[in-house]
Amino acid sequence: MNISIIGTGYVGLPTGVGFASLGHNICCIDKDLDKIDRLKKGEIDIYEENLEELFCKVTEEQKLTFSYSIKEGIQNADLIILAVGTPTEQNSDKADLTYIKEASKEIAEHLSDRYTILAIKSTVPVCTGDMIEEIIDRKNCDVISMPEFLREGFALYDFFNPDRIVVGTNSEKAKKVIQQLYDGKNILFTDRRSAELIKYASNAFLATKIHYINEIADLCEKTGANIENVAKGLGLDSRIGNKFLNAGIGFGGSCFPKDTRALLQTANEFNVEFSLVKNVIEGNNKRKKEIAQKIIQKAKSIKKQENKSIRIAIFGLAFKNNTDDCRESPAIEIVQNLLNEDFIIEVYDPKAIDNAQKILKNKVTYYKYPEMCAFRADMLILLTEWEEFKILDYEKIYEIMNNKILLDYRNLLDEEKMKKIGFEYERIGKKYD
Ligand code: UGA
């Protein structure tokens, strides 16, 4: 099948590479000329597990090509996938549909006379498909919703092992083509508006689950219960499920925060009371400030005793593990709060330093190696759940730190082991005196 994908970000590029590896002819289109030039040279500017290897393979086989022109890139397309960004609007919480509208207008201008499907993979508010259909205004083009459920950092794994494929269309012709594309995989076909809403409802539900477990963690900290035992017990109920019950510093990224805000906006527009999602958004915003305050109080108490500048080492800046993405990263927000105080902040992340630098500029010191970052630190704080942090040599880190305070705010490390080494150690969802 000839597939054109518009938008080469964290969704568009892995999707293109994935379909190309299944034998389809893919043209990835982006209006960012530099980006397309770099991709043509084989340079990828996002980190995704296994992406580089598969990218090299499919470009060598000429299954994946690039273009910055929609006109050129969609010429032979049987299927056009819209995967452009839908960030939050500048002066509101609505999803900004500028890129969606611009791309749709260009597609409408350059569609050929053959039958084409335009699939919206970008996360868009319910009823956006109707608007795009009006822009396209062609009998030989079906506008369908094909929401994306890939997780950043695991995009290719999720592409090849999807939990579900949801497609919103009433067109039998389009259904046939999509069935062929997914070759025997189970597809849930719905009407277009429902498919659009499934995406938001899923992200908001998962965000709610995380916020819920974070609130239970707060209660554990007050009462002396242990969040990990509580989460384990909760998760054993198959109706609840054991995923997304890791308490931490709040959810972030380019999806949950913006999608919960946009869903609330949609509910407001349609006069539907949405107090749950509203509370989740507010509670999650508050959480990052509270975690920062907890750190500030601790750091200030050392300062009071020792009367010197406090050195704080941060491990992890990406919004979660396995990605270099720092958009709405809770770790970055916590660091920004710490910067209002008079502390020396030193940071390390396995993949996200370049992106973090764009936000934090020269206000912190960046390190290539975790041990260098922890050297002479008074406090070491884990803010992203990288697997790499589990296997560091903490005995060595203990030796080179000044004050031996370890705040494991992603509940990653073995508490007994850390205490045995000698750290003053704390995690989330447990009471410490
Ligand atoms: C999320 C969804 O999981 C994907 O299904 C969806 O396709 C994607 O948004 C999207 O809309 O494009 P993603 O943003 O990549 O994926 O990240 P998640 O793995 O869902 O994590 C989101 C945030 O929640 C991270 O900050 C993570 O650290 C946090 N989290 C996650 C927790 O604090 N606890 C958990 O138990 C799980």
Side-chain angles (χ1 to χ4, degrees), residues 213-227 247-248 287 290-291 294 408-409 411 426-433:
I213 204 69
N214 284 338
E215 286 196 332
I216 298 285
D218 288 345
L219 191 57
C220 289
E221 285 179 20
K222 294 275 193 267
T223 57
N226 180 340
I227 190 61
R287 181 160 193 85
E290 285 167 356
I291 298 273
K294 229 165 135 174
D408 176 5
Y409 284 165
N411 291 1
E426 282 188 16
R427 56 208 278 132
I428 295 279
K430 228 182 140 179
K431 191 174 184 184
Y432 296 92
D433 298 317

Side-chain angles (χ1 to χ4, degrees), residues 11 40 88 173 187 192 230 253 275 326 360 362 367 386 392:
V11 170
K40 280 182 176 171
T88 300
K173 205 168 170 185
I187 303 173
R192 193 170 56 204
V230 176
S275 55
C326 288
L360 298 172
N362 59 357
Y367 288 91
W386 284 98
L392 295 175

Side-chain angles (χ1 to χ4, degrees), residues 174-226:
K175 282 184 194 172
K176 245 187 171 162
V177 176
I178 298 299
Q179 239 150 5
Q180 216 183 317
L181 175 70
Y182 284 107
D183 192 23
K185 283 210 166 78
N186 245 342
I187 303 173
L188 172 67
F189 285 108
T190 67
D191 60 282
R192 193 170 56 204
R193 292 182 190 174
S194 299
E196 290 168 335
L197 203 47
I198 286 171
K199 168 69 193 217
Y200 277 101
S202 302
N203 274 4
F205 186 86
L206 291 171
T208 303
K209 205 171 173 189
I210 297 168
H211 183 59
Y212 179 73
I213 204 69
N214 284 338
E215 286 196 332
I216 298 285
D218 288 345
L219 191 57
C220 289
E221 285 179 20
K222 294 275 193 267
T223 57
N226 180 340

Side-chain angles (χ1 to χ4, degrees), residues 118-180:
L118 173 58
I120 311 161
K121 205 169 250 314
S122 308
T123 303
V124 292
V126 57
C127 299
T128 302
D130 300 44
M131 177 195 81
I132 296 178
E133 199 166 65
E134 271 180 36
I135 296 175
I136 299 292
D137 195 23
R138 293 272 196 119
K139 290 228 158 20
N140 61 346
C141 177
D142 276 320
V143 176
I144 71 171
S145 166
M146 214 159 79
E148 185 50 74
F149 301 106
L150 304 178
R151 293 163 302 163
E152 276 183 31
F154 304 88
L156 281 176
Y157 177 85
D158 287 349
F159 177 87
F160 292 111
N161 306 279
D163 266 355
R164 63 196 144 154
I165 297 162
V166 174
V167 176
T169 180
N170 291 327
S171 155
E172 292 306 321
K173 205 168 170 185
K175 282 184 194 172
K176 245 187 171 162
V177 176
I178 298 299
Q179 239 150 5
Q180 216 183 317

Side-chain angles (χ1 to χ4, degrees), residues 11 48 123 147-154 158 164 199 202-203 206-207 209-211 213-214 242-259 284 318-321 323 328-330 383-385 410:
V11 170
E48 262 302 333
T123 303
E148 185 50 74
F149 301 106
L150 304 178
R151 293 163 302 163
E152 276 183 31
F154 304 88
D158 287 349
R164 63 196 144 154
K199 168 69 193 217
S202 302
N203 274 4
L206 291 171
K209 205 171 173 189
I210 297 168
H211 183 59
I213 204 69
N214 284 338
N242 61 6
K243 292 185 183 148
F244 276 66
L245 287 179
N246 297 323
I249 59 175
F251 59 79
S254 67
C255 305
F256 286 178
K258 88 168 166 67
D259 293 347
N284 192 61
F319 81 94
K320 65 167 190 179
N321 62 329
T323 181
E328 301 211 30
S329 166
L383 293 181
T384 305
E385 66 274 43
R410 290 292 198 157

Side-chain angles (χ1 to χ4, degrees), residues 8 13 28-46 55 66-69:
T8 55
L13 192 60
C28 276
I29 306 166
D30 203 300
K31 63 177 185 185
D32 182 337
L33 306 188
D34 289 344
K35 203 170 181 186
I36 290 298
D37 283 342
R38 284 196 301 276
L39 285 167
K40 280 182 176 171
K41 282 191 239 156
E43 294 167 19
I44 307 175
D45 60 1
I46 56 169
F55 175 93
F66 303 97
S67 174
Y68 34 70
S69 149

